[in-house]
Amino acid sequence: MKMGFITSLLDGWTYEEMIDEVARIGIECVEVACWPKGKAERKYGGVTHIEVDRVVEDDAYARHVLDYAGEKGVDICALAYYPNNLDPDPERRAFFNDHLVTTIRAAAKLGVPKVTTFIGRMTDKTFEENLEVLPEVWGPILKVAEEEGIRVCIENCPMLFDASNWPGGQNIMTSPANWERVFEVLPSKNLGIALDPSHFVWQQIDCAAAIRDFADRIYHVHFKDIKLKPAELARRGTMAYPLDIMEPKIPGWGDVDWGDFVSQLTMIGYDGDCCLEIEDRFFEDSREHLVQSIELSKRYMDQFVI
């Protein structure tokens, strides 16, 4: 396995600053944030460390991106862009889908094998109604991925946090039951899972069973932790806003059983990239603390990853 890092934590850092820092820490690979330049719509979204439209159009820029990472001994394992690809607004959806396609083409040009994203969700429709539009929206995207030889990895985050995402969140690929239905509708082998165990903690989903049942579809892994708040869960129940009953933490400070998680991955033969995803508010008061959160996370996960 390769220890990696998703770079969306380092908002405001240049590509070169980001690569310099992860190389110093000893991170082997990066899942690089590739949102279009502009104002972020949400926290950890809107970060641009690689401009994918520029990669596609500018050979010198593309070469610089690869050369700079190569000189520092850092591999670019994936390009990351996580919008709501089923946004109910047609103009927004088209914008998100177009940029995702550009990200796929940029990955192919850079020789990066994966793009990480969300399937999305029409927030005003049922799960079944969302399934009906998948071929129309995702068929063309996956056709490009197949032509370019890129794996599209969907994270299992429900994108449900607070009142702004209520009731269903902005991503339907949140559970093994939903994965099964999506793969029935979209059978392309270029579509797979970016597995994040933290989202299964508060949903009370059996992560070990999910790993075993979808062993051939796990293309990417995130190391992120979540700490449940038992008193709030007992008071509010499972239908509360998720951030009222849990809090994202760095690996080792939450409720994910990391020894079992990595063990389960080894049992299915997973030997790919495992990227630290850090969204712990405790460390967000300074640049120095952000770096410390990466260092602490890597130090903790080093005991499990070989």
Side-chain angles (χ1 to χ4, degrees), residues 252-266:
W253 284 18
D255 292 319
V256 174
D257 184 338
W258 289 106
D260 184 67
F261 178 68
V262 175
S263 178
Q264 294 291 342
L265 290 175
T266 65

Side-chain angles (χ1 to χ4, degrees), residues 93-110:
R93 182 193 294 179
F95 177 82
F96 296 153
N97 296 169
D98 287 347
H99 189 76
L100 179 59
V101 167
T102 302
T103 305
I104 292 169
R105 295 196 188 282
K109 184 169 182 178
L110 293 172

Side-chain angles (χ1 to χ4, degrees), residues 222-254:
H222 281 167
F223 287 158
K224 190 177 81 173
D225 218 333
I226 273 179
K227 186 68 178 174
L228 285 172
K229 303 175 181 178
E232 290 299 318
L233 179 59
R235 190 167 75 94
R236 298 174 186 268
T238 58
M239 295 185 71
Y241 298 135
L243 281 178
D244 286 342
I245 61 172
M246 60 82 170
E247 185 172 336
K249 303 302 296 179
I250 63 171
W253 284 18

Side-chain angles (χ1 to χ4, degrees), residues 10-30:
L10 303 181
D11 191 8
W13 295 47
T14 67
Y15 173 74
E16 292 79 10
E17 288 173 328
M18 176 274 292
I19 291 291
D20 288 348
E21 196 60 42
V22 298
R24 182 193 66 79
I25 293 170
I27 299 290
E28 294 181 83
C29 60
V30 281

Side-chain angles (χ1 to χ4, degrees), residues 3 223 251-253 258-259 262-263 296-306:
M3 179 74 75
F223 287 158
W253 284 18
W258 289 106
V262 175
S263 178
L296 287 172
S297 298
K298 180 182 182 299
R299 186 187 310 164
Y300 182 81
M301 292 309 300
D302 273 342
Q303 67 184 308
F304 301 112
V305 176
I306 57 171

Side-chain angles (χ1 to χ4, degrees), residues 161-277:
F161 304 110
D162 52 32
S164 65
N165 319 118
W166 196 260
Q170 296 178 350
N171 184 35
I172 63 171
M173 267 187 90
T174 58
S175 67
N178 286 13
W179 295 347
E180 193 171 68
R181 298 287 301 279
V182 170
F183 288 137
E184 287 173 358
V185 176
L186 300 173
S188 172
K189 293 300 184 182
N190 288 69
L191 183 69
I193 298 161
L195 181 63
D196 183 334
S198 69
H199 303 301
F200 285 169
V201 172
W202 63 272
Q203 292 185 89
Q204 300 181 50
I205 292 172
D206 186 337
C207 188
I211 291 171
R212 292 192 298 271
D213 292 345
F214 291 87
D216 63 337
R217 291 288 193 148
I218 298 172
Y219 296 164
H220 193 71
V221 167
H222 281 167
F223 287 158
K224 190 177 81 173
D225 218 333
I226 273 179
K227 186 68 178 174
L228 285 172
K229 303 175 181 178
E232 290 299 318
L233 179 59
R235 190 167 75 94
R236 298 174 186 268
T238 58
M239 295 185 71
Y241 298 135
L243 281 178
D244 286 342
I245 61 172
M246 60 82 170
E247 185 172 336
K249 303 302 296 179
I250 63 171
W253 284 18
D255 292 319
V256 174
D257 184 338
W258 289 106
D260 184 67
F261 178 68
V262 175
S263 178
Q264 294 291 342
L265 290 175
T266 65
M267 289 167 71
I268 65 164
Y270 183 82
D271 194 25
D273 311 307
C274 301
C275 290
L276 299 165
E277 183 180 16

